[in-house]
Amino acid sequence: MSALMWEAVAANKRRSAWLIFILALLLAGMGGALGLLFGGAPETAAYGVFIGLVVWGVMLLINMMGGESVLLASASAREVSHEDAPQLYNIVEEMRLAAALPAMPRVFIIETPVPNAFAVGLKPERACVAVTRGLLERLNRDELQGVIAHELGHVSNRDTLFMTLAGVTLGAIVLLADFGIRTLLWGGGRRRSSGNRNGGAAMAVVMVVAIALAILAPILARLLYFACSRQREYLADASAAQFTRYPAGLANALRKIAMQQDPKKIPVNRVVAPMYAVNPLAAAGSASLFGTHPPTEERIRRLMEMQGAAPEVPPTA
Amino acid sequence: MAPVFILLGIVALLVLWFVAIYNSLVHLRNYVDNAWAQIDVQLKRRHDLIPNLLETVKGYMAHERGTLEAITKARADAMSAKGPAQAGTAESALSGALRGLMVNVERYPDLKASQNFLALQEELSSTENKISFARQAYNDSVTRYNTRIQTIPANLVAGPAGFTPRELFELTDEAERAVPKVSFA
């Protein structure tokens, strides 16, 4: 076991915690800016922050209610048992032991020739793994093990929970910004009618900063969200390497999967897309700032680096 | 009066500190126990699979009685082993015996093609994988637990409270360890 894999996991976790923290600050700043714009006084900024938090809480509740079953249904996944797909089921069980998950995840198959896989479940106890028929047909046992390890890596790193949190925070910021900008364009809220405008020049500067924040915060938050998502992919890759102790398995699988993506043949929408092992909606190798997945070549390069650092042990399969 | 309260405060803090460390140690120890239970399940599963396997290959491999008996004996030893260290040795021997059988299977194309055997082979090799992945998780948890109870400050609590180090589960395979002999004849 190389120290490199452990370090990659630890460093990624630190970075993700920072990203969430900054997103939360942005949300608070956004609320404060709106409070200032519409109230016109420093006290109202605090109300703005409070309203921002309430919006966030409501959106989080709505998001949690949907749960796994809705996502799985929208991808038309069918649950399978050990008898239906012995090898797949065995591999999932092997990886759940390596990941030391508290319970056996439910296993699903999606009938489509495009090779891909995803995991859902806010808690590790309720995890579900779905793979497509194309994945089962194209990958050998080691490669399939790598992909399953990557998905269970998402589960054991609590990525589903993490990305729900990040997504809801982003949603709240965008919603508040939309509301703020629209109201300002419509007539400037209560700004002009409020009587307690203390100190002209200083307040004007604060107002300009608040408006700038209202415009920039959603853009910044989006960039951060996608950066989060890409970090979590690298983290899941590192976890997969740690579970299988054979990073080349996943690297080979990624190579095969990336060549075969066709969004027309896979039941996918923008909600489910980021959860797949390789994003079916993104062109292979594109490294945009607004992408949920890092470029596949870079993922493979990092995996092979870990492989080089790992002792040359053939996989147990 | 004041010194008494200060003293009481210090005692209360010490008790709280003791409780916090004690609880975290119990947590780690339960984690180790659970990880061992996971290995145990897989080892039992392998023991259960073997009679089935022997039944399937018997018809084809009548001449390999020695190999089959070695497996039966290794299985009996493994089933009566106690504790991680003993189980490690016995299970390694069983793995070795099974590998010997799989090598011999190469000479029986009919058996290799049999659907029943193929299914059993997947189950057996997957169980071997599960054992090694569960072992990986168990050994990681033991290392974490042992390190914790042997380092300051938890060692001050671990000793009096009776937390003792656990054994790692090692599968030492003679065949894997041996240096390959190359002869240029």
Side-chain angles (χ1 to χ4, degrees):
Chain A
M1 182 67 209
S2 87
L4 207 72
M5 293 178 201
W6 294 110
E7 269 167 35
V9 172
N12 261 307
K13 276 188 182 152
R14 269 199 305 278
R15 246 175 269 148
S16 296
W18 269 109
L19 287 166
I20 279 278
F21 178 69
I22 295 169
L23 269 181
L25 277 186
L26 271 177
L27 176 65
M30 189 73 216
L34 285 185
L36 206 56
L37 279 175
F38 295 120
E43 308 91 70
T44 53
Y47 297 134
V49 173
F50 177 72
I51 291 171
L53 284 180
V54 170
V55 169
W56 181 81
V58 171
M59 287 179 71
L60 190 64
L61 266 180
I62 294 170
N63 227 293
M64 296 270 192
M65 258 140 36
E68 304 85 59
S69 41
V70 176
L71 288 169
L72 286 163
S74 79
S76 31
R78 178 176 57 88
E79 184 162 9
V80 292
S81 65
H82 181 257
E83 283 71 43
D84 300 333
Q87 197 185 54
L88 172 66
Y89 198 91
N90 278 339
I91 289 174
V92 173
E93 198 174 352
E94 285 164 24
M95 287 302 101
R96 94 125 177 120
L97 286 168
L101 294 182
M104 175 69 188
R106 290 158 71 197
V107 186
F108 292 79
I109 291 182
I110 303 169
E111 295 296 339
T112 161
V114 182
N116 221 328
F118 70 80
V120 289
L122 288 179
K123 282 202 240 149
E125 292 85 352
R126 293 206 330 237
C128 308
V129 192
V131 302
T132 65
R133 179 67 60 192
L135 191 82
L136 292 177
E137 278 163 4
R138 281 203 186 75
L139 301 189
N140 67 30
R141 205 178 192 283
D142 290 336
E143 293 159 353
L144 192 57
Q145 199 172 47
V147 172
I148 299 290
H150 170 96
E151 296 309 329
L152 293 193
H154 276 310
V155 172
S156 89
N157 298 327
R158 308 246 173 175
D159 282 354
T160 37
L161 179 68
F162 179 88
M163 288 319 289
T164 306
L165 266 174
V168 165
T169 315
L170 169 67
I173 291 171
V174 170
L175 196 78
L176 286 177
D178 260 21
F179 167 77
I181 288 165
R182 252 169 234 210
T183 320
L184 275 182
L185 290 178
W186 247 57
R190 285 172 40 214
R191 218 158 31 109
R192 289 181 194 104
S193 56
S194 68
N196 56 345
R197 294 184 67 187
N198 39 354
M203 203 58 204
V205 171
V206 172
M207 283 296 178
V208 169
V209 170
I211 292 173
L213 190 61
I215 295 168
L216 288 179
I219 301 171
L220 205 58
R222 258 197 203 103
L223 281 173
L224 277 174
Y225 173 80
F226 288 116
C228 272
S229 173
R230 291 193 297 267
Q231 285 306 326
R232 302 312 278 197
E233 289 307 317
Y234 283 131
L235 178 54
D237 284 350
S239 304
Q242 183 191 323
F243 298 156
T244 58
R245 317 252 151 135
Y246 183 62
L250 177 58
N252 293 339
L254 286 176
R255 225 172 260 136
K256 282 191 190 171
I257 297 172
M259 280 190 290
Q260 315 267 351
Q261 289 315 301
D262 182 354
K264 279 179 289 240
K265 285 198 198 132
I266 196 163
V268 69
N269 54 43
R270 281 175 57 210
V271 183
V272 202
M275 297 186 314
Y276 281 93
V278 170
N279 190 336
L281 295 181
S286 67
S288 75
L289 280 173
F290 292 102
T292 56
H293 282 54
T296 306
E297 291 93 86
E298 175 60 15
R299 290 172 69 188
I300 292 172
R301 195 189 63 73
R302 289 192 187 195
L303 281 168
M304 293 319 286
E305 216 173 83
M306 289 184 230
Q307 180 69 39
E312 264 311 308
V313 182
T316 39
Chain B
M1 263 327 253
V4 178
F5 281 120
I6 292 172
L7 207 66
L8 277 177
I10 291 173
V11 170
L13 276 180
L14 274 176
V15 169
L16 278 179
W17 174 80
F18 189 90
V19 168
I21 289 193
Y22 182 87
N23 284 351
S24 78
L25 289 180
V26 170
H27 218 80
L28 282 175
R29 191 175 57 187
N30 285 346
Y31 201 80
V32 170
D33 287 339
N34 178 52
W36 174 253
Q38 300 292 342
I39 299 184
D40 221 34
V41 169
Q42 299 308 328
L43 290 176
K44 289 217 172 67
R45 208 180 126 63
R46 180 159 77 159
H47 300 156
D48 294 344
L49 279 171
I50 287 170
N52 230 331
L53 176 77
L54 293 181
E55 200 53 45
T56 308
V57 300
K58 210 165 59 186
Y60 299 88
M61 301 173 83
H63 307 298
E64 312 271 354
R65 197 187 279 156
T67 317
L68 302 186
E69 274 168 5
I71 292 175
T72 312
K73 190 187 166 298
R75 172 175 177 264
D77 288 348
M79 284 174 82
S80 59
K82 296 265 182 303
Q86 220 184 18
T89 319
E91 294 294 341
S92 306
L94 180 56
S95 292
L98 283 171
R99 204 165 302 127
L101 174 73
M102 289 306 167
V103 168
N104 285 337
V105 163
E106 293 300 317
R107 293 205 301 265
Y108 300 85
D110 292 352
L111 174 59
K112 263 177 75 185
S114 129
Q115 212 57 40
N116 200 358
F117 177 75
L118 284 177
L120 265 171
Q121 199 182 23
E122 159 65 25
E123 285 312 307
L124 201 65
S125 71
S126 174
T127 308
E128 299 261 347
N129 287 352
K130 284 169 195 160
I131 291 170
S132 74
F133 286 124
R135 180 173 68 104
Q136 196 170 288
Y138 169 79
N139 283 348
D140 283 354
S141 75
V142 168
T143 307
R144 218 164 36 176
Y145 168 78
N146 285 351
T147 308
R148 190 78 206 286
I149 64 171
Q150 285 162 7
T151 48
I152 299 169
N155 63 342
L156 300 174
V157 176
F163 288 91
T164 47
R166 291 301 179 84
E167 291 168 346
L168 292 173
F169 181 57
E170 311 272 19
L171 290 175
T172 42
D173 195 333
E174 298 305 320
E176 273 173 21
R177 267 215 186 149
V179 179
K181 281 200 192 98
V182 185
S183 64
F184 300 94

